[in-house]
């Protein structure tokens, strides 16, 4: 009789164990569904954020100034006046070195420089020079150079500021952007500076250089920096180049990085230290590289980089240049140039101090420029790393102590306190696994982006230069895949922490 009662009594216990297993399976399935719901929710939130914040930030950062009319005072930059030069600059098509287009362009530039200098009512000293040189094919070429100084200045050791752009183009291309944009901006700036009564050119002289044969390994710039007599007193240079003028121009490169402090004074700064490394990685060359070789000069390079479709093609016509981009760069350069000519910047920066402690810089919506030193960046990163470690360890310890004081009645299937004898060690191992899964997911996302970029480069090279949607597809989609993979890895790791 007792045996029968025992067997009857054991039946509910077996049933209870089965119910517990079913309960655990249900909880596990419920948690998996929660992960899926969380993943979908994060995707929806991310898309909403892009749809709301993306266009707003793009609009703020890309808004262009109003184009100034031709009839404004001559000391102010006018895009309409600058565009007037295009009609003759591109009249004969491409400006390949030692061709008819090159000869007529040279004559046109000389005429315009003489006109600008002649209408000035100020007593300034204008020195004009044509630097003759031969290229590798023994063609006779010329750099066009003009120097402005004060008639009362007798010293020969006055520092100079060099403004430069190249007037040649590649074959079959009218060179509206590359580098017609730089030419017309410099012509208008020359007119502005000559007619600005606040500038005396006594403390700092101004040299404007139009180089030839830039498209042939920057031979004109190399000739000037090697052999011209005016080169010795140049303190800083500003080079203007372009791929396409469809967006705002930005500061592409700078040497030394300390000069970024002076650029931060402009109205609409647009710069990011990353572009410095992009030029190094892709080995994009221009006259800038000729000027800085062998520690020759210090200075800036500004340019238009977006929309690679028209770069070095017959589509590079002045009509393709977006309204307002010349006004934007012209006004910014005008402010920077005036600061240099008025001696409001440190002209004693030398190559001896270059990049001992380089600057990190980036703009916020093309309105504010954030600048700080590399040493400051390292300190900030160390503080953040220490804070993350300290806060993380503290939270784990407090959470561990709190769980140990509780009665172990956790209903979560992943609760480590019901399954392991040393839960703290298990939690540390789970954190390591979580960290490895993050690295793995980031690597997969980056690999996916590279594969997509390579595929697109095969069919439509540089297509993301002119299409923001493709850029979002390239860089945002891998982030979504990365987050999804990370969430999936977290869901299959049973050692997950409860904090």
């Amino acid at each position: 009789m007792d045996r029968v009662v025992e067997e009857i009594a054991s039946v509910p216990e077996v049933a209870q164990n089965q119910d517990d297993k079913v309960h655990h399976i249900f909880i596990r399935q419920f948690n998996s569904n929660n992960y899926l719901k969380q993943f979908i929710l994060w995707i929806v939130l991310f898309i909403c954020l892009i749809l709301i914040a993306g266009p707003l930030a793009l609009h703020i950062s890309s808004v262009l100034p109003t184009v100034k009319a031709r009839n404004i005072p001559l000391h102010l930059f006018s895009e309409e006046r600058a565009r007037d030069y295009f009609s003759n600059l591109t009249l004969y098509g491409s400006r390949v070195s030692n061709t008819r287009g090159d000869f007529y362009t040279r004559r046109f530039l000389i005429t315009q420089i003489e006109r600008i200098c002649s209408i000035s009512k100020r007593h300034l000293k204008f020195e004009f020079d044509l630097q003759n040189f031969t290229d590798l094919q023994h063609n006779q070429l010329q750099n066009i150079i003009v120097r402005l100084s004060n008639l009362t200045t007798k010293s020969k050791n006055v520092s100079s500021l060099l403004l430069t752009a190249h007037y040649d183009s590649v074959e079959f291309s009218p060179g509206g952007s590359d580098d017609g944009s730089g030419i017309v901006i410099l012509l208008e700036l020359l007119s502005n500076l000559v007619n600005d009564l606040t500038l005396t050119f006594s403390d700092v002289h101004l040299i404007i250089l139009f180089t030839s044969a830039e498209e042939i390994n920057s031979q004109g710039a190399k000739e000037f920096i090697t052999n011209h007599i005016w080169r010795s007193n140049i303190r800083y240079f500003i080079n203007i180049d372009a791929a396409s003028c469809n967006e705002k121009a930005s500061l592409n490169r700078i040497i030394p990085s300390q000069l970024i402090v002076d650029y931060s004074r402009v109205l609409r700064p647009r710069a990011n230290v990353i572009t410095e490394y992009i030029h190094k990685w892709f080995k994009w060359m221009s006259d800038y590289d000729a000027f800085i070789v062998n520690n020759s000069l210090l200075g800036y390079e500004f340019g238009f980089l977006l929309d690679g479709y028209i770069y070095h093609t017959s589509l590079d016509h002045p009509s393709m240049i977006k309204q307002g981009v010349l006004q934007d760069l012209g006004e910014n350069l005008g402010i920077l140039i005036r600061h240099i000519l008025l001696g409001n910047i440190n002209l004693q920066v030398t190559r001896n101090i270059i990049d001992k402690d380089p600057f990190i810089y980036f703009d916020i919506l093309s309105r504010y420029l954030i600048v700080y030193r590399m040493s400051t960046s390292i300190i900030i990163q160390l503080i953040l790393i220490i804070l993350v470690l300290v806060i993380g360890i503290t939270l784990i310890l407090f959470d561990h102590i709190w769980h140990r004081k509780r009665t172990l009645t956790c209903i979560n299937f992943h609760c480590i306190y019901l399954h392991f004898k040393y839960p703290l060690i298990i939690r540390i191992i789970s954190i390591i696994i979580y960290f490895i899964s993050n690295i793995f997911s980031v690597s997969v996302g980056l690999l996916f982006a590279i594969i997509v970029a390579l595929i697109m480069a095969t069919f439509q090279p540089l297509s993301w230069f002119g299409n923001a949607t493709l850029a979002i597809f390239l860089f945002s989609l891998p982030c979504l895949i990365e987050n999804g993979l990370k969430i999936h890895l977290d869901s299959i790791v049973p050692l997950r922490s409860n904090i």
Side-chain angles (χ1 to χ4, degrees):
M1 184 67 178
D2 293 338
R3 184 176 178 182
V4 172
V5 172
E6 232 174 66
E7 289 179 355
I8 294 174
S10 65
V11 171
E13 184 176 353
V14 173
Q16 182 66 32
N17 292 336
Q18 291 177 350
D19 290 342
D20 289 341
K21 292 181 180 180
V22 172
H23 178 71
H24 285 314
I25 293 173
F26 174 78
I27 291 294
R28 183 173 184 179
Q29 183 65 34
F30 180 77
N31 288 335
S32 298
N33 291 335
N34 277 343
Y35 292 132
L36 180 60
K37 292 177 181 178
Q38 290 176 10
F39 177 55
I40 295 175
L41 178 62
W42 277 111
I43 291 179
V44 173
L45 291 176
F46 183 77
I47 293 175
C48 292
L49 180 64
I50 291 178
L51 292 177
I52 296 174
L56 180 61
L58 183 64
H59 172 73
I60 295 174
S61 63
S62 61
V63 64
L64 292 165
T66 303
V67 174
K68 299 297 190 341
R70 295 178 183 85
N71 57 359
I72 65 172
L74 291 177
H75 69 278
L76 299 176
F77 190 92
S78 166
E79 180 173 322
E80 287 191 0
R81 286 198 297 253
R83 284 180 177 268
D84 289 341
Y85 295 115
F86 275 125
S87 58
N88 287 293
L89 188 65
T90 60
L91 181 62
Y92 298 98
S94 61
R95 303 183 297 276
V96 178
S97 297
N98 203 39
T99 62
R100 187 181 72 153
D102 180 50
F103 298 148
Y104 279 103
T105 299
R106 188 185 311 158
R107 182 186 304 173
F108 167 71
L109 290 176
I110 294 171
T111 303
Q112 292 305 312
I113 293 171
E114 292 175 343
R115 179 189 64 82
I116 292 171
C117 296
S118 64
I119 64 175
S120 173
K121 299 179 181 179
R122 304 176 60 194
H123 298 290
L124 297 175
K125 183 178 180 181
F126 297 95
E127 299 172 84
F128 188 78
D129 186 39
L130 294 176
Q131 184 185 20
N132 298 300
F133 67 97
T134 57
D135 62 8
L136 298 178
Q137 287 74 37
H138 305 289
N139 297 315
Q140 296 295 324
L141 305 176
Q142 286 182 323
N143 290 329
I144 305 171
I145 316 165
V146 59
R147 181 167 70 173
L148 280 70
S149 58
N150 195 293
L151 286 171
T152 60
T153 303
K154 297 181 180 180
S155 175
K156 296 182 179 180
N157 296 319
V158 178
S159 298
S160 298
L161 167 65
L162 173 67
L163 309 181
T164 178
H166 68 90
Y167 67 89
D168 63 315
S169 71
V170 296
E171 191 173 6
F172 306 119
S173 175
S177 296
D178 182 22
D179 189 21
S181 60
I183 295 297
V184 300
I185 287 175
L186 286 190
L187 288 174
E188 175 63 11
L189 283 174
L190 174 60
S191 177
N192 299 157
L193 299 173
V194 166
N195 291 281
D196 190 344
L197 299 180
T198 64
L199 301 175
T200 63
F201 302 99
S202 55
D203 297 326
V204 182
H205 294 169
L206 177 67
I207 300 175
I208 296 183
L209 166 66
F210 299 102
T211 63
S212 181
E214 188 273 348
E215 301 292 356
I216 312 174
N217 200 22
S218 299
Q219 294 182 46
K222 292 177 181 177
E223 184 68 22
F224 174 82
I225 204 65
T226 304
N227 297 320
H228 202 278
I229 189 173
W230 292 348
R231 172 261 171 273
S232 57
N233 291 331
I234 294 174
R235 177 60 62 183
Y236 296 145
F237 75 90
I238 296 176
N239 183 52
I240 306 174
D241 209 340
S244 173
C245 300
N246 278 342
E247 296 291 341
K248 282 184 176 181
S250 62
L251 174 63
N252 294 337
R253 291 183 284 180
I254 184 173
I255 187 168
S257 61
Q258 285 85 349
L259 297 183
I260 193 65
V261 177
D262 302 316
Y263 174 66
S264 64
R265 300 178 181 181
V266 303
L267 290 176
R268 295 172 293 274
R270 189 179 181 91
N272 196 308
V273 69
I274 295 177
T275 59
E276 188 82 29
Y277 296 96
I278 291 176
H279 279 268
K280 292 180 181 178
W281 295 335
F282 291 95
K283 300 185 183 303
W284 291 339
M285 307 295 288
S286 68
D287 283 346
Y288 174 91
D289 300 279
F291 293 138
I292 68 171
V293 70
N294 298 324
N295 299 337
S296 297
L297 297 181
L298 314 177
Y300 309 80
E301 180 179 59
F302 295 89
F304 306 86
L305 292 178
L306 296 181
D307 198 350
Y309 275 129
I310 73 171
Y311 176 60
H312 281 186
T313 69
S314 58
L315 298 176
D316 188 11
H317 194 272
S319 61
M320 302 293 290
I321 297 177
K322 190 174 183 179
Q323 291 288 329
V325 296
L326 302 183
Q327 187 71 44
D328 177 72
L329 180 56
E331 290 180 354
N332 282 342
L333 288 180
I335 295 173
L336 178 61
I337 291 168
R338 285 176 172 85
H339 277 297
I340 298 175
L341 294 177
L342 292 172
N344 294 333
I345 68 171
N346 180 16
L347 290 174
Q348 303 306 316
V349 175
T350 64
R351 295 300 297 251
N352 296 330
I353 65 170
I354 285 179
D355 295 337
K356 288 184 177 179
D357 190 6
F359 280 83
I360 305 297
Y361 55 89
F362 56 91
D363 70 273
I364 298 179
L365 301 179
S366 299
R367 289 295 183 272
Y368 308 98
L369 195 64
I370 306 300
V371 180
Y372 52 90
R373 294 184 180 274
M374 177 68 77
S375 56
T376 304
S377 174
I378 293 174
I379 293 173
I380 293 173
Q381 293 176 39
L382 289 175
I383 292 174
L384 291 175
I385 292 173
I386 292 172
L387 284 176
V388 169
L389 291 176
V390 170
I391 293 174
I393 293 172
T394 303
L395 288 175
I396 290 173
L397 291 176
F398 275 101
D399 186 71
H400 180 74
I401 295 171
W402 182 72
H403 273 85
R404 297 301 286 176
K405 290 182 179 180
R406 291 178 58 197
T407 55
L408 298 180
T409 57
C410 179
I411 62 172
N412 190 346
F413 180 76
H414 296 293
C415 185
I416 62 176
Y417 291 92
L418 292 179
H419 302 281
F420 300 100
K421 185 177 181 180
Y422 303 104
L424 182 59
I425 297 176
I426 299 302
R427 296 189 75 170
I428 294 174
I429 295 175
S430 69
I431 291 173
I432 295 174
I433 295 176
Y434 182 78
F435 178 73
I436 294 174
S437 69
N438 278 334
I439 295 178
F440 178 71
S441 62
V442 170
S443 301
V444 171
L446 179 62
L447 179 62
F448 180 83
I450 293 174
I451 292 174
V452 172
L454 290 175
I455 294 174
M456 294 184 65
T458 303
F459 298 100
Q460 287 186 318
L462 301 180
S463 53
W464 55 84
F465 273 66
N467 193 321
T469 305
L470 290 176
I472 292 174
F473 172 75
L474 275 174
F475 301 109
S476 299
L477 186 59
C479 293
L480 293 177
I481 294 176
E482 168 199 333
N483 290 329
L485 181 60
K486 182 173 67 176
I487 293 173
H488 177 69
L489 290 173
D490 293 344
S491 66
I492 64 175
V493 175
L495 308 179
R496 188 185 176 198
S497 169
N498 287 316
I499 60 173

